Amino acid sequence: MKIKTKFFGEIEVEEEKIINFPNGIIGFENLKRFILIDHPGSETIKWLQSVDEKDFALPVVEPVGFFPDYAPALCESDLKKLKLGSVEDGVVLAVLTVPQDVERTTVNLKGPIVLNPHERLGAQLIAENPEYKIKQPVAIFNKKET
């Protein structure tokens, strides 16, 4: 199927690549279907693009690449809804906030996006870890990755 996107124009999407978010994303509960798109020129950044709303896409990264000890404590019942035995069985992503001054980029460690790629299920969950912040500074951009 073809979908329209704000940043990538019209793209072809295989039906089996669509990830279903039964509860949507926090603040955007009406958006239920997403795909992951690689950011051009970056091995680190991906985009969580809504299939149904071309203007909605979130830049995401795997937080362990920047915070090796990142281990979100997540509600067991939330993981069961994703058909995951533990968080390690899924893919954990964190949403980036990139301001005009890219050196002030932050990552949301408090509200990770958790995916079960085998079941094509996803959810934004809340980490119970008190030390994790919604706006954790992260040095992600260098001259090669802007």
Side-chain angles (χ1 to χ4, degrees):
M1 72 186 281
K2 290 188 180 196
I3 67 166
K4 293 182 180 183
T5 71
K6 180 177 181 177
F7 300 114
F8 304 100
E10 188 172 87
I11 60 173
E12 185 72 33
V13 175
E14 297 173 34
E15 197 72 39
E16 58 271 6
K17 299 281 185 185
I18 296 174
I19 304 161
N20 294 297
F21 282 68
N23 298 318
I25 300 283
I26 295 172
F28 300 92
E29 290 79 8
N30 60 320
L31 301 178
K32 310 282 188 191
R33 301 183 315 151
F34 292 85
I35 58 166
L36 277 176
I37 301 172
D38 292 331
H39 183 80
S42 173
E43 294 179 18
T44 307
I45 302 170
K46 297 191 180 307
W47 289 86
L48 189 64
Q49 170 69 53
S50 170
V51 171
D52 302 307
E53 174 52 60
K54 74 176 184 74
D55 290 332
F56 188 86
L58 297 171
V60 294
V61 294
E62 291 189 46
V64 294
F66 302 94
F67 305 95
D69 296 331
Y70 183 66
L74 302 170
C75 179
E76 219 174 288
S77 65
D78 288 337
L79 292 174
K80 284 184 180 175
K81 290 176 189 171
L82 294 174
K83 301 181 182 178
L84 294 171
S86 71
V87 71
E88 291 82 16
D89 296 334
V91 174
V92 178
L93 301 171
V95 177
L96 284 175
T97 300
V98 184
Q100 201 164 4
D101 177 0
V102 297
E103 291 183 15
R104 300 185 74 158
T105 296
T106 62
V107 65
N108 182 349
L109 298 181
K110 193 68 170 174
I113 305 279
V114 181
L115 307 176
N116 180 335
H118 305 293
E119 297 289 334
R120 297 185 350 230
L121 287 171
Q124 185 173 24
L125 305 177
I126 303 298
E128 297 171 8
N129 313 62
E131 69 273 21
Y132 293 157
K133 298 176 184 171
I134 292 172
K135 291 186 175 267
Q136 176 66 48
V138 63
I140 190 166
F141 293 101
N142 58 37
K143 295 200 190 299
K144 291 182 187 175
E145 196 145 325
T146 54

